[in-house]
Amino acid sequence: MPNLQPEQAMVALHLALPAIQKEHETTRGVIEAIPLNNGDYKPEPVAKTALELAWHIVASEHRFYSGVVAGQFDFTPRPRPENVKNSADIGKYYAESFANDLEALKKMSGDQLAKMIDFRSMFQLPAVGFLDLGLRHSIHHRGQLSTYLRPAGGKVPAIYGESYDSAKAQQAARTA
């Protein structure tokens, strides 16, 4: 991938965008499934709370996408705004942030997408390569967050196919 040509980078972007959009919807559903009254749930003392983990997903994903657009990463901490208090607020913030990031990504040129970007002096990839890395990071933490939901008193939404909870909800809707 180091010698990616601008035309190839544009193809990579257009192949990545549908998956990024679909995974965003799924991740937002998991975040919004955190019970409004139990965002402080965590499975063990050293774990992040559900809301901390949700915010980590949102802030990190934005960091990846904005870094791709800027051609470099900004690792300045991005604390959760004070007005973002629960899972519904995080879901709304996530949707708005994602929409802005998506529009910025769609406006990028092949040269911008093919530009090599350094990640913490650990490795370098063409900018477009960080879209996949960011997506995998979000999916990883979404999986962690989904395991918080039932113990926190929530329901697990469909992720890749039905979950037990989404199947029960559909069954209840059919019989009502």
Side-chain angles (χ1 to χ4, degrees):
M1 200 182 237
N3 296 321
L4 195 65
Q5 298 301 307
E7 300 79 22
Q8 294 169 316
M10 290 298 294
V11 170
L13 172 69
H14 291 292
L15 289 173
L17 288 178
I20 288 169
Q21 289 172 288
K22 179 65 179 148
E23 297 297 342
H24 166 78
E25 293 169 20
T26 303
T27 301
R28 184 174 176 198
V30 171
I31 289 170
E32 291 177 344
I34 300 167
L36 292 173
N37 63 346
N38 206 6
D40 289 336
Y41 171 80
K42 56 183 176 177
E44 62 177 340
V46 298
K48 291 182 184 298
T49 67
L51 291 182
E52 289 169 341
L53 185 52
W55 183 252
H56 174 71
I57 293 168
V58 173
S60 296
E61 191 171 291
H62 176 66
R63 176 172 282 122
F64 274 107
Y65 297 157
S66 63
V68 167
V69 171
Q72 63 183 12
F73 291 103
D74 175 4
F75 294 105
T76 305
R78 295 182 180 166
R80 184 170 37 133
E82 287 185 27
N83 66 330
V84 177
K85 298 184 183 304
N86 59 37
S87 56
D89 294 342
I90 292 176
K92 182 176 185 249
Y93 184 99
Y94 183 39
E96 292 167 359
S97 172
F98 180 79
N100 292 334
D101 288 338
L102 188 63
E103 286 309 308
L105 289 169
K106 288 178 179 179
K107 292 177 183 174
M108 291 185 71
S109 70
D111 287 329
Q112 291 170 308
L113 292 163
K115 177 186 174 188
M116 294 299 287
I117 299 178
D118 181 73
F119 189 82
R120 296 186 185 257
S121 298
M122 296 185 328
F123 58 91
Q124 298 79 39
L125 290 173
V128 73
F130 286 100
L131 297 179
D132 183 62
L133 186 60
L135 182 63
R136 291 172 188 269
H137 179 268
S138 292
I139 291 169
H140 163 74
H141 287 299
R142 179 182 73 203
Q144 289 178 310
L145 185 57
S146 71
T147 67
Y148 282 39
L149 297 177
R150 281 196 194 110
K155 307 270 187 223
V156 178
I159 297 175
Y160 295 126
E162 284 186 332
S163 71
Y164 172 82
D165 296 320
S166 68
K168 285 292 195 187
Q170 285 183 357
Q171 183 182 33
R174 283 192 297 268
T175 59

